[in-house]
Amino acid sequence: RWLTGDERYGAEIRRQLADWLASNPPLIGINWAGMLELGFRSLSWVWALHALLVHEEQSGEPWLVDMLVGLDRQLLHVEQNLSYYFSPNTHLTGEALALYVAGTALPELARSARWAELGRTILIREIDRQVCADGGHAERSTQYHRYTLDFYLLALLTAVQIGHEETAGIFREAATRMAASLHAMAGADGRL
């Protein structure tokens, strides 16, 4: 609905949200096992939330409360189970990105400030582990390189949006190095 004005899209988002919540009670089932998956879902829900609310005020709608409670439960689970030991590269930075973006975008949630700060701190700390001096990704994989560049670009946009210039500068420097390295690996047509 955000882009087209067609309410069918908003109705479908609400239908899928209700179905996911009904099929995946908190902490039960495979969809609660992967913190990166929970982080990505949370980011998608934040986008969906803003898309649904852009045209009208819906603060009293049950789906809104359900979505916010679902986001709170998922982000708390991510916070408590960050991938420090299993896949502590792109999984950890993806989870940190979800905490940073969702924590920043949803100040209404009680733990948002803590999530935003934790996510920001991890993203900054991980730059030295994830991004080599030449701008390449530590895992030496073009896919993980692109993936991590996407993370730092979204983190940069978030920092700029909220006016955190120092944080934006740190993310900008990392993203610029990674983009230059990616450009050097690409062919004349821009493909890797």
Side-chain angles (χ1 to χ4, degrees):
R1 172 144 195 237
W2 184 7
L3 298 174
T4 66
D6 189 337
E7 175 50 35
R8 289 179 301 170
Y9 297 111
E12 182 62 19
I13 291 171
R14 291 188 296 275
R15 187 196 68 72
Q16 288 187 26
L17 172 69
D19 181 67
W20 192 91
L21 290 168
S23 300
N24 298 279
L27 306 177
I28 297 174
I30 191 70
N31 291 315
W32 288 87
M35 298 310 106
L36 183 59
E37 179 185 342
L38 288 167
F40 284 167
R41 182 177 305 106
S42 295
L43 289 172
S44 295
W45 286 15
V46 168
W47 279 100
L49 175 63
H50 286 83
L52 289 168
L53 294 177
V54 74
H55 289 293
E56 57 193 72
E57 176 61 39
Q58 300 192 34
S59 59
E61 294 294 323
W63 69 263
L64 179 58
V65 172
D66 292 343
M67 180 182 273
L68 291 174
V69 169
L71 280 163
D72 183 73
R73 288 177 177 167
Q74 290 176 84
L75 293 166
L76 179 61
H77 193 53
V78 169
E79 176 192 18
Q80 293 173 339
N81 296 281
L82 288 162
S83 296
Y84 287 118
Y85 306 105
F86 173 78
S87 297
N89 292 320
T90 52
H91 283 231
L92 180 59
T93 52
E95 294 156 8
L97 177 69
L99 292 172
Y100 181 56
V101 171
T104 300
L106 300 169
E108 301 84 0
L109 299 179
R111 294 178 268 265
S112 287
R114 184 176 79 215
W115 291 332
E117 181 56 25
L118 176 61
R120 186 189 74 81
T121 299
I122 292 170
L123 286 165
I124 290 171
R125 184 188 66 230
E126 289 299 308
I127 290 170
D128 289 338
R129 289 189 60 242
Q130 305 292 323
V131 184
C132 299
D134 66 358
H137 188 264
E139 292 191 55
R140 299 299 188 201
S141 159
T142 54
Q143 179 56 35
Y144 285 142
H145 187 111
R146 290 177 55 227
Y147 201 42
T148 301
L149 177 56
D150 285 346
F151 292 172
Y152 280 100
L153 288 172
L154 182 52
L156 169 60
L157 291 171
T158 302
V160 167
Q161 182 69 29
I162 60 175
H164 286 176
E165 293 305 319
E166 182 178 346
T167 299
I170 294 168
F171 293 152
R172 184 177 292 110
E173 190 277 331
T176 299
R177 276 193 295 138
M178 292 193 81
S181 178
L182 196 61
H183 179 70
M185 288 187 276
D189 64 355
R191 294 176 178 256
L192 296 176

